[in-house]
Amino acid sequence: KLLGNTIQEVLQPNSLEELLPNLKRIFRGEIFITERNIGEFYISTRYVPLRDETSNVYAAMIVVIDITELKKAERAIVELNVGLEQKITERTEQLASANKELEAFSYSVSHDLRAPLRSINGFSKMLEEDYKDAFDENGKRLLRIVQENAKHMGQLIDDLLTFSRLGRKEVQKGEVNMTLLTESVVEEIKITHPNAQIKINPLQSVWGDSVLLKQVLCNYISNAVKYSAKSESPLVEIKSRLVNEDIIFSVKDNGSGFDMNYAHKLFQVFQRLHSQEEFEGTGVGLAIVHRIINKHHGKVWAEGEIDKGATFYFSLPIKQVSIQAENN
């Protein structure tokens, strides 16, 4: 029914007045979109010039779309984002508060708990030096047990402090030559274990925190040396390989091994698969490894068999090394 009518006959005067500037833009050859709300409704209008064979604009195509539901969805997303930002802010404040509490705990551990330990160590040494003739063999044995347990408790405190500080430590990443880093760790270990047989295969470089990764290697290799020490020909071997987008490092020993049924406990705090009498340790070292590798977006796991050795693994993503190389 509208065909053949002029635009003046179809539109109200006020609507025509609003439309004319857009019509002028169309006949200049512009393609554009406008949006406006009419009451509770939102309207999107698309203006498209129509051209003849000589590219002259001879008509205009105007498409009007109701975008009310889309606008409602956009408002809902904005409101959701505001809510999420509020939750993130609250969560950040909670984490900051938790970090302060953790720092207070660390201070308490490092000072309040060390004070009685110093007293135990001091008095036990005084007893050993001043009253050694008054002790029989059993008394001397009991005194040694006191000293050894005080020493163990001191090491446990140190390990727990290291574990708690890792949660707040910023990772300072750079390219790390893992072969050189591993060689430096092995040199340090051989100071106290000169007879340890440790084979280092060529290792891939990674993108990570060299200080933290050195701690990972130190814990893995020290454990391998410790648990293989009772073997007839103890041997520790360190390798790496590329698998998809990860570099996987392994530290293998031919020591006491472990039952795979309990492998899930290895990287938890205080979860040890051997008694203190068999092998010394605090049960925190592998938990520290887990936390460090998590900070590098990698994974840790282990395989073993009782009396047939064990292999401990950690993986690091290769992408970060590639990205850094491209940037250089």
Side-chain angles (χ1 to χ4, degrees):
K1 292 181 180 181
L2 297 179
L3 290 175
N5 294 322
T6 65
I7 194 169
Q8 289 87 350
E9 295 171 332
V10 173
L11 296 178
Q12 297 294 326
N14 59 338
S15 299
L16 179 61
E17 187 177 343
E18 291 179 9
L19 184 61
L20 281 176
N22 292 333
L23 289 175
K24 290 179 180 179
R25 291 178 63 184
I26 291 178
F27 282 96
R28 287 199 300 266
E30 295 183 39
I31 300 175
F32 58 96
I33 300 172
T34 63
E35 290 183 6
R36 64 172 180 159
N37 66 299
I38 303 174
E40 297 181 355
F41 297 93
Y42 281 88
I43 302 299
S44 172
T45 306
R46 288 161 171 76
Y47 297 87
V48 181
L50 301 179
R51 299 177 184 273
D52 58 20
E53 295 81 357
T54 58
S55 295
N56 292 318
V57 178
Y58 71 92
M61 181 172 66
I62 302 174
V63 181
V64 180
I65 302 174
D66 181 354
I67 58 170
T68 305
E69 293 303 318
L70 177 62
K71 286 295 182 180
K72 287 181 180 179
E74 287 179 355
R75 282 200 303 270
I77 291 172
V78 170
E79 291 172 1
L80 178 61
N81 286 337
V82 170
L84 287 174
E85 288 175 3
Q86 179 63 32
K87 288 181 180 179
I88 290 171
T89 300
E90 293 174 358
R91 183 59 175 159
T92 301
E93 291 173 354
Q94 291 172 358
L95 288 173
S97 175
N99 279 337
K100 287 181 180 178
E101 291 177 3
L102 187 58
E103 288 172 4
F105 169 76
S106 298
Y107 180 88
S108 176
V109 167
S110 60
H111 291 81
D112 299 346
L113 291 185
R114 286 188 184 281
L117 274 181
R118 284 195 294 269
S119 296
I120 293 171
N121 281 323
F123 284 119
S124 64
K125 287 180 180 177
M126 290 171 60
L127 286 171
E128 185 178 33
E129 293 172 0
D130 300 341
Y131 298 92
K132 60 182 178 181
D133 295 332
F135 286 110
D136 58 14
E137 288 304 315
N138 189 51
K140 292 177 181 178
R141 182 182 66 84
L142 293 174
L143 186 59
R144 283 195 301 272
I145 292 173
V146 170
Q147 292 172 335
E148 288 170 1
N149 277 278
K151 180 181 177 182
H152 177 72
M153 186 63 182
Q155 184 60 54
L156 179 57
I157 290 172
D158 289 340
D159 288 348
L160 283 174
L161 283 171
T162 300
F163 183 74
S164 66
R165 286 169 185 153
L166 280 173
R168 308 188 306 275
K169 181 176 172 59
E170 291 290 332
V171 178
Q172 305 295 326
K173 291 185 177 180
E175 190 167 357
V176 182
N177 186 319
M178 292 295 282
T179 301
L180 293 179
L181 189 64
T182 303
E183 288 173 350
S184 69
V185 169
V186 170
E187 285 179 10
E188 293 175 10
I189 290 173
K190 283 199 169 186
I191 293 174
T192 52
H193 299 83
N195 297 321
Q197 297 298 311
I198 304 174
K199 180 181 178 182
I200 306 172
N201 293 282
L203 305 173
Q204 278 104 331
S205 294
V206 299
W207 187 249
D209 188 314
S210 60
V211 175
L212 294 179
L213 292 178
K214 183 175 183 180
Q215 191 164 8
V216 169
L217 290 168
C218 187
N219 283 352
Y220 264 10
I221 299 171
S222 296
N223 276 356
V225 169
K226 176 172 67 176
Y227 289 113
S228 63
K230 297 179 181 179
S231 302
E232 290 185 6
S233 301
L235 176 65
V236 175
E237 186 172 8
I238 304 152
K239 295 180 179 180
S240 74
R241 69 183 190 274
L242 181 62
V243 178
N244 297 325
E245 296 183 344
D246 292 320
I247 301 173
I248 298 177
F249 295 86
S250 63
V251 179
K252 182 179 181 180
D253 67 71
N254 59 351
S256 60
F258 62 88
D259 187 340
M260 283 295 290
N261 290 322
Y262 302 100
H264 62 282
K265 293 185 175 183
L266 285 169
F267 296 94
Q268 299 175 18
V269 178
F270 302 137
Q271 296 294 328
R272 303 191 69 222
L273 304 188
H274 299 276
S275 67
Q276 184 69 21
E277 289 72 24
E278 287 182 286
F279 299 100
E280 291 184 355
T282 60
V284 183
L286 291 180
I288 290 173
V289 167
H290 189 195
R291 179 161 285 189
I292 291 173
I293 298 302
N294 269 350
K295 280 181 167 287
H296 284 77
H297 307 291
K299 297 178 181 178
V300 294
W301 68 98
E303 298 172 352
E305 189 175 349
I306 295 175
D307 296 328
K308 292 187 178 180
T311 305
F312 282 77
Y313 301 90
F314 68 91
S315 68
L316 295 172
I318 193 175
K319 281 185 177 179
Q320 298 177 41
V321 179
S322 302
I323 292 170
Q324 179 66 12
E326 289 174 4
N327 291 338
N328 289 338

